[in-house]
Amino acid sequence: WPAWDVLFPVEEINTDTGLFDTGLATGTDQALAYTAGLNWYPNGHTRVMLNGVHVDYDDEITVDGQTNDNEDVALLRLQYNL
């Protein structure tokens, strides 16, 4: 019964520049994210998900005083279905 999934999604987000005019947000109005993921289903009730995500920002963003034009994230999740 064990099964594996391999995934490589690409996601793009575009926001309205009016959001920045209100002062509610600062940064970029476009980002492109690339994900590489692996899902493992050891049985019918359990799923283990491992994803690596790389995000490229159209313009630099500032977080806690540091300026970045991209970021990398690693995610590990466990799901159990009763």
Side-chain angles (χ1 to χ4, degrees), residues 58-79:
D58 190 43
D59 301 308
E60 291 182 338
I61 64 168
T62 302
V63 178
D64 292 332
Q66 294 183 336
T67 302
N68 299 307
D69 63 355
N70 65 61
E71 69 179 332
D72 296 303
V73 179
L75 303 165
L76 177 64
R77 297 175 286 177
L78 173 65
Q79 178 180 346

Side-chain angles (χ1 to χ4, degrees), residues 32-76:
L32 192 59
Y34 305 92
T35 303
L38 183 64
N39 294 333
W40 175 45
Y41 304 87
N43 58 52
H45 297 283
T46 307
R47 176 169 64 161
V48 179
M49 298 160 277
L50 176 63
N51 291 339
V53 182
H54 176 79
V55 181
D56 285 320
Y57 299 109
D58 190 43
D59 301 308
E60 291 182 338
I61 64 168
T62 302
V63 178
D64 292 332
Q66 294 183 336
T67 302
N68 299 307
D69 63 355
N70 65 61
E71 69 179 332
D72 296 303
V73 179
L75 303 165
L76 177 64

